[in-house]
């Protein structure tokens, strides 16, 4: 069994230590509970821009080259990602450089320069990234489904931001955002074949400070400290978003209301996803690809936030009316009939796959740090992999049937699609 230790480092930061059988590999991560859902329209994209700026140099390592070279010399990689609900910074590399990684992570977190000249250049980089995303029809389909599924909530925002709001950002706004959102619900995690006492002492050495970036006050940021949560998905009708594109493929995303992160039903929706698209003979693949030849790839999944969730189905077909309409009709038919088409052998096969993946991941430092950080934030505790496996094993066909009926209601679903013409 893996060993996990967690607790409070100071008023702002909690810590997690994950001991894994990973030989030389370690992962150091900082999870901040701030993402695109915490942004007002006038600062849309600020979480993403700030993620970029934490790589641009600190007091001790004033250039990106100096900062990254130290990590590169240790066989490591410093990276980050922003989501709707969090920003995660991570260094992955050799265990022998653990202290160096923690020192650099601390420098980036507490002492980034947030230089105005570098910011102006990085805003151009981010706008190029935004434009790259907007030129991808698959992304447009995703953006469209978020706009429909999360309409009139902050979750409808895309993560990268908009060019206009990104352009308006300055270093004081970024510093105010840090001082507002980086004060609480910060979790630092270290995973690998580590010594608990030594690692905790290093965390105390480098992370006992309080984050503070002196700046002029922007009340639109500092007055918006509390995250807006939603009690339920308020959708009342079936919605469609059409995006005109002449690409060879039409990209289609379908969404259904799902559950929040702490719901035990998420174990069941994970199995539903496996039943639908887990392998090449699963239900959606078997019909849409193996029998009809309509698709190459299709994926499903469940995004669960602390308040609400979304179950999605995403695929592409030839950009022709008959292919688009037939594929959508088949998807709805298959998910509606799911409750009547599950057998014990198929369910056990999907359970086995999930369980074996969990067993493999428990010695992956990067996965363990990310998973444990999410668990600690949402549940204030960490559920063991053994408990996850037990919960999966206990799921029965009737549990799948019950949740499938709750989720797959066409009148509460959404479709976002790209096509030559409007067909729906």
């Amino acid at each position: 069994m893996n060993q996990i230790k967690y607790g409070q480092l100071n008023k702002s930061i909690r810590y997690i230590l994950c001991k894994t059988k990973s030989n030389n590999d370690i992962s150091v991560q900082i999870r901040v509970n701030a993402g695109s859902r915490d942004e007002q329209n006038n600062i849309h994209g600020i979480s993403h821009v700030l993620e970029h700026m934490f790589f641009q140099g600190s007091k001790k390592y004033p250039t990106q080259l100096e900062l990254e070279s130290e990590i590169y010399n240790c066989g490591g990689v410093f990276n980050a990602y922003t989501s709707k609900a969090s920003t995660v910074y991570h260094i992955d590399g050799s265990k022998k450089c653990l202290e160096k990684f923690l020192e650099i992570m601390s420098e980036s977190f507490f002492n980034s320069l947030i230089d105005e000249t570098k910011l102006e250049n990085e805003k151009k980089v981010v706008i190029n990234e935004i434009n790259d995303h907007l030129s991808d029809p698959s992304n447009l389909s995703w953006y469209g489904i978020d706009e429909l599924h999360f309409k009139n909530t902050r979750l409808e925002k895309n993560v990268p931001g908009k060019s206009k709001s990104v352009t308006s950002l300055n270093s004081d706004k970024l510093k105010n955002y840090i001082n507002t959102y980086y004060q609480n619900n910060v979790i630092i995690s270290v995973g690998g074949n580590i010594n608990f006492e030594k690692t905790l002492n290093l965390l105390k050495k480098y992370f006992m400070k309080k984050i503070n970036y002196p700046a002029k006050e922007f009340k639109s940021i500092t007055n918006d400290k509390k995250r807006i949560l939603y009690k339920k998905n308020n959708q009342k009708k079936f919605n469609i978003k059409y995006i005109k594109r002449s690409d060879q493929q039409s990209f289609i995303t379908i969404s259904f209301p799902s559950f929040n992160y702490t719901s035990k039903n998420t174990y069941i929706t994970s199995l539903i996803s496996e039943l639908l698209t887990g392998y090449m003979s699963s239900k959606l693949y078997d019909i849409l690809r193996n029998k009809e030849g309509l698709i190459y790839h299709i994926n499903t999944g469940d995004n669960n936030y602390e308040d609400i969730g979304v179950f999605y189905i995403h695929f592409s077909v030839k950009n022709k009316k008959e292919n688009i309409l037939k594929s959508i009709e088949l998807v709805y038919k298959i998910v509606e009939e799911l409750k009547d088409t599950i057998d014990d052998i198929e369910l056990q096969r999907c359970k086995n796959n999930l369980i074996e993946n969990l067993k493999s991941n428990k010695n992956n430092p990067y996965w363990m740090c990310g998973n444990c950080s999410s668990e600690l934030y949402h549940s204030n505790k960490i559920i063991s992999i053994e408990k996850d496996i037990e919960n999966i094993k206990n799921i029965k066909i009737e549990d799948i049937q019950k949740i499938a009926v709750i989720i797959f209601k066409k009148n509460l679903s959404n479709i976002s699609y790209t096509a030559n013409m409007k067909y729906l």
Side-chain angles (χ1 to χ4, degrees), residues 336-351:
E336 184 182 342
E337 294 175 351
L338 177 66
K339 63 185 185 300
D340 303 316
T341 59
I342 313 165
D343 61 57
D344 287 318
I345 294 174
E346 185 179 24
L347 179 58
Q348 190 59 50
R349 185 185 299 129
C350 291
K351 283 184 181 183

Side-chain angles (χ1 to χ4, degrees), residues 404-422:
V405 170
I406 292 172
I407 288 180
F408 297 127
K409 295 176 179 174
K410 185 174 181 180
N411 64 311
L412 297 180
S413 69
N414 303 287
I415 300 175
S416 171
Y417 72 106
T418 66
N420 288 315
M421 296 179 63
K422 191 173 183 178

